[in-house]
Amino acid sequence: MHVPDGFINAPVSVAAGVVAAGAVAVSLRGARRELDERTAPLAGLVAAFIFAVQMLNFPVAAGTSGHLLGGALAAILVGPWTGVLCIAVVLLMQGILFADGGLTALGVNISVMGVVTVVVAYALFRGLVLLLPRTRASVTAASFVAALVSVPAAAAAFTALYAIGGTTHVPVAKVLTAMVGVHTLIGIGEAVITMLTVGAVVAVRPDLVYGARGLTAPLKLRVDGELVDAAPAAAPAAGSGSPKKVWIGGLVTALVLAGFVSFYASASPDGLEKVAADKGIDAKVEDHAAADSPLADYGVKGIETARLSGGLAGAIGVGATLAVGTGAFWVVRRRRAHAETTA
C-alpha cells in the first residue's frame, strides 16, 4: 500500500507529513519506556524482518497481490511506540534506496501504514488479551485478529485522505469499497504472517514479546488443599538468557526471505496499485525522485541476472534497515539510561 507521489495533493501531503512527524516524535519518547538492553537490538531486527517480508507479495485475487504492512507485528513484538518507529524506518529506507513509496508522500505512508495500523492493531490486541485466558495461545490468537483488522483500517484511512486531497475525481464511495474489499483479503495474509511470527517467538522466548509481558498467570501449587503461588525458584526463569540466538535466527530468516524467497513473489500489482489502475486514481502519478537510485525497483543496476540482482538488493535492504533501525533504537535506549542515571 505504498502511496506514490501524485495521488494526494501537496497541502494534504504536507499535513500528513506534520502528523507523521508528530507521531514519530511522540513515539521516540514513548519508546524509551519500551526499550532495554535486550530489546533495543531486537527492535532493529524487527524493522529489518518487516522490510524483508514486505518484498514477498502474495496473490489475493485475479491479477492482484498483497504484502505485509507490519504495524501489528511490530507493535506486538516490540511495543506500539517502537512499532511506529520500526515502520517509519522501513518506509524511509524503501523510499530513499528503492524508490518504493513517494518521498513527498512519505508522511502519508507513515500515517497510513505506520500510525493507523499500529494504533488499531495494538488497541484491539490489548482488548482481546484482557478478555481471553492469560495464555500464550491467547496472545497468538489476538495477534491474528489485530493484524487482520489493521489492514482494511489502513485502506479506509487512505481513502479518507484521498477524499480530502485526491488529485483525481473518482467517487469516494467506489474507492472505499474497492480499497477495503481487496485489503480485507490482504489482511488475511497479514494475519497469518503475524500469527506465525508472534507464535514462533512466543514459543521460544515469550519474555521478548512485548505483547506477552505479564500475561502468563503465576505458577500455582496445591498445598493442604489450597492453591498458593509457587516460589520464584520453581517457575521457569523466562528472560534470564541472552536473546542472541533469537537475533541470529531472525537475521538469517530475513536475509533468506529478501535474498532468495523474494524472487518467487507474485509480480501482480498490489491492492492499491490495482485499485488505482482500475479506478483511474493513478492518472496524475509522478515519477519518483529516487528513480535513478542504483537499487530502484529492488534490483542492483549493472547486474543483468534478475535473481542475483534482486537477491543482492534485498540483502542490502535488510542490512541497511537493520543498521539504521538498530542505531536509532540504541540512541533512544541510551537516552533512557542517561535519564535514569541523572534522575
Side-chain angles (χ1 to χ4, degrees):
M1 196 191 295
H2 294 73
V3 181
D5 296 324
F7 277 24
I8 307 296
N9 64 27
V12 175
S13 294
V14 170
V18 172
V19 171
V24 169
V26 172
S27 296
L28 283 170
R29 295 182 62 86
R32 297 180 193 177
R33 300 190 295 271
E34 296 173 345
L35 297 171
D36 55 31
E37 290 86 351
R38 294 179 305 136
T39 56
L42 289 176
L45 175 62
V46 168
F49 181 80
I50 290 173
F51 172 90
V53 180
Q54 283 195 2
M55 294 182 66
L56 308 180
N57 280 49
F58 48 85
V60 295
T64 310
S65 70
H67 64 73
L68 182 82
L69 298 188
L73 178 60
I76 294 167
L77 289 180
V78 293
W81 303 114
T82 309
V84 170
L85 299 179
C86 284
I87 303 302
V89 168
V90 172
L91 292 171
L92 182 64
M93 294 294 99
Q94 290 171 332
I96 293 175
L97 298 179
F98 300 93
D100 189 10
L103 294 183
T104 62
L106 181 60
V108 172
N109 284 317
I110 291 176
S111 298
V112 171
M113 296 177 62
V115 179
V116 171
T117 58
V118 167
V119 170
V120 171
Y122 197 72
L124 182 55
F125 173 82
R126 288 301 302 170
L128 288 173
V129 295
L130 290 175
L131 294 174
L132 296 171
R134 298 163 65 87
T135 65
R136 298 176 186 177
S138 296
V139 172
T140 305
S143 70
F144 180 93
V145 178
L148 174 60
V149 175
S150 70
V151 178
F158 165 79
T159 305
L161 291 176
Y162 177 80
I164 300 171
T167 57
T168 54
H169 301 288
V170 180
V172 175
K174 291 185 177 181
V175 177
L176 179 62
T177 300
M179 284 292 292
V180 173
V182 71
H183 283 91
T184 298
L185 297 177
I186 294 172
I188 297 173
E190 175 109 7
V192 171
I193 294 170
T194 301
M195 177 187 67
L196 292 176
T197 305
V198 171
V201 181
V202 165
V204 178
R205 290 292 301 270
D207 59 296
L208 298 180
V209 178
Y210 184 88
R213 293 179 179 179
L215 295 177
T216 303
L219 181 64
K220 299 283 187 177
L221 295 178
R222 186 172 295 278
V223 178
D224 295 330
E226 295 183 1
L227 289 176
V228 298
D229 290 340
S240 60
S242 169
K244 184 177 180 180
K245 290 183 179 180
V246 173
W247 192 92
I248 293 175
L251 177 58
V252 170
T253 301
L255 288 171
V256 170
L257 292 176
F260 177 73
V261 180
S262 62
F263 182 77
Y264 301 97
S266 173
S268 298
D270 69 17
L272 176 58
E273 292 171 332
K274 179 64 173 175
V275 171
D278 289 347
K279 304 299 180 182
I281 297 175
D282 59 356
K284 296 185 179 181
V285 66
E286 300 173 3
D287 293 335
H288 201 286
D292 293 330
S293 167
L295 298 173
D297 298 323
Y298 297 93
V300 179
K301 289 186 177 179
I303 298 180
E304 301 298 329
T305 305
R307 180 173 299 188
L308 178 60
S309 177
L312 183 58
I316 292 172
V318 168
T321 304
L322 178 65
V324 172
T326 301
F329 295 130
W330 268 118
V331 170
V332 173
R333 167 57 192 157
R334 291 188 65 180
R335 293 190 66 176
R336 170 186 170 178
H338 177 74
E340 290 175 347
T341 55
T342 57

